[in-house]
Amino acid sequence: MKPAMETAAEENTEQSQERKVNIRAEMEICRYHWMSSGSNNNQYDPIPSLTSKSIPSSSPGCFECCIKCLGGVPYASLVATILCFSGVTLFCGCGHVALAGTVAILEQHFSTNTSDHALFSEVIQLMQYVIYGIASFFFLYGIILLAEGFYITNAVKELHGEFKTSACGRCISGMFVFLTYMLGVACLGMFGFSTVPVFMFYNIWSTCEVIKSQINGTTAVEQICVDIQQYGIIPWNAFPGKICGSALENICNTNELYMSYHLFIVACTGAGATVIALIHFLMILSSNWAYLKNANKMQAYQDIKAKEEQELQDIQSQSKE
């Protein structure tokens, strides 16, 4: 054992050396500020203390928050939702007005007896109510699918964190896949049904164009006719049912005919856009469901692997002790 005097002398020597090192470091800092003060109007910055530590700011800024929020937006679902809303709006709005115009043309020109087209008028009125229901249902269903897209996007991005999906959530996603498929088939039938009035009005419009081209010609206009009975919307004994010549020319000069024709075209286009939107939704939901299924298997594998590594570390620490 060393004497107490020698130990105290050694401690004093070490402390004096530490003071010299600190003084030398502070002198270097002062020299640095002195050399860099020329561009700052000879105003010195405060000398940092050797014991002070710079604490970086861990709170994210506005830009980082915006990037994080934009990263969680399901852009594919958003585009499909906008397309679905646009298609349903065109189909329901234009279809409703076009059906009303069709009934007006039928009552004024092709069927003067109310009892002949009473059934057709009731069917048109029922279809208008169905249009209201279709618009409301697709509006709610589009919002639900968009919310489900937000859920799936965040689940996929945060799967390796604290956020995990449940079996119930995956079942709901699978249910949406099936429901969207069925709605896509139904809207495909709706699209095919909407082409029927377009075809009918196209034949009437083409006949009107023939009449306009034959006014100054040699062919008799009275021989050109339109028989609305052949489409099955009014009975065969309806009067007049068949319009020819000048009476047909008067119909061709009305605004209701061309307005209803173009509205049916727009409604058919809206039905097609709705079908495309549902197909888009179906692809998104199917891919998201597959991602969740595979990612949850990977998460379970990583949990088991982390648990095994922790057990191995515990065994090694116990063996060292």
Side-chain angles (χ1 to χ4, degrees):
M1 303 220 19
K2 294 182 179 180
M5 295 295 292
E6 295 180 0
T7 304
E10 291 177 357
E11 291 179 355
N12 293 331
T13 304
E14 292 177 357
Q15 291 177 0
S16 63
Q17 290 178 356
E18 290 179 358
R19 290 195 192 98
K20 291 180 181 179
V21 171
N22 294 336
I23 293 172
R24 184 175 298 174
E26 291 180 358
M27 290 176 64
E28 291 293 334
I29 293 173
C30 292
R31 181 184 176 186
Y32 170 76
H33 285 295
W34 176 265
M35 294 177 65
S36 62
S37 62
S39 60
N40 296 328
N41 296 326
N42 294 328
Q43 292 182 359
Y44 304 106
D45 294 333
I47 299 174
S49 176
L50 293 176
T51 57
S52 63
K53 297 181 180 180
S54 59
I55 301 174
S57 177
S58 60
S59 60
C62 180
F63 180 75
E64 288 79 6
C65 292
C66 292
I67 293 299
K68 185 177 180 181
C69 292
L70 292 176
V73 176
Y75 293 102
S77 297
L78 185 62
V79 171
T81 303
I82 294 174
L83 183 61
C84 181
F85 284 172
S86 301
V88 171
T89 302
L90 291 176
F91 174 78
C92 295
C94 297
H96 185 276
V97 179
L99 289 174
T102 303
V103 174
I105 293 173
L106 184 66
E107 292 178 350
Q108 294 174 7
H109 303 283
F110 292 97
S111 179
T112 57
N113 189 3
T114 308
S115 61
D116 292 337
H117 59 270
L119 180 61
F120 180 74
S121 299
E122 292 178 357
V123 171
I124 293 297
Q125 187 177 6
L126 179 61
M127 291 176 64
Q128 289 177 340
Y129 286 118
V130 170
I131 284 176
Y132 297 146
I134 290 174
S136 302
F137 173 77
F138 273 96
F139 178 75
L140 294 176
Y141 190 70
I143 292 177
I144 291 173
L145 289 184
L146 182 61
E148 202 266 347
F150 274 100
Y151 163 77
I152 294 295
T153 302
N154 292 322
V156 171
K157 288 182 178 296
E158 300 180 6
L159 193 61
H160 299 287
E162 297 179 356
F163 187 84
K164 295 181 181 180
T165 59
S166 61
C168 181
R170 293 191 295 273
C171 291
I172 293 175
S173 299
M175 181 192 69
F176 278 129
V177 172
F178 175 76
L179 185 59
T180 305
Y181 174 78
M182 298 303 295
L183 287 175
V185 174
C187 287
L188 188 61
M190 184 175 66
F191 172 73
F193 179 76
S194 63
T195 58
V196 175
V198 174
F199 173 74
M200 183 183 69
F201 274 91
Y202 173 76
N203 289 336
I204 298 175
W205 173 79
S206 60
T207 305
C208 291
E209 293 297 322
V210 172
I211 290 177
K212 292 179 181 179
S213 63
Q214 296 296 332
I215 288 179
N216 298 325
T218 56
T219 305
V221 179
E222 299 297 331
Q223 297 179 358
I224 302 175
C225 302
V226 170
D227 188 4
I228 204 71
Q229 297 172 346
Q230 63 182 348
Y231 298 106
I233 59 178
I234 57 176
W236 289 101
N237 56 356
F239 180 82
K242 184 177 181 181
I243 303 296
C244 301
S246 59
L248 181 59
E249 184 179 355
N250 293 331
I251 297 176
C252 295
N253 293 329
T254 59
N255 293 327
E256 288 83 1
L257 177 66
Y258 291 96
M259 181 64 69
S260 299
Y261 175 49
H262 291 95
L263 286 176
F264 273 123
I265 292 176
V266 176
C268 184
T269 305
T274 306
V275 172
I276 295 174
L278 289 176
I279 293 175
H280 195 182
F281 268 129
L282 185 62
M283 293 188 295
I284 295 168
L285 293 171
S286 300
S287 61
N288 287 339
W289 186 79
Y291 286 150
L292 283 181
K293 184 178 179 181
N294 295 331
N296 277 275
K297 290 181 178 179
M298 182 62 67
Q299 181 65 29
Y301 171 75
Q302 291 180 355
D303 291 341
I304 295 173
K305 187 176 180 181
K307 186 177 179 181
E308 292 177 352
E309 291 179 355
Q310 185 64 33
E311 292 178 354
L312 182 61
Q313 291 178 0
D314 294 340
I315 293 172
Q316 290 178 355
S317 60
Q318 291 177 1
S319 62
K320 289 180 180 179
E321 292 177 356

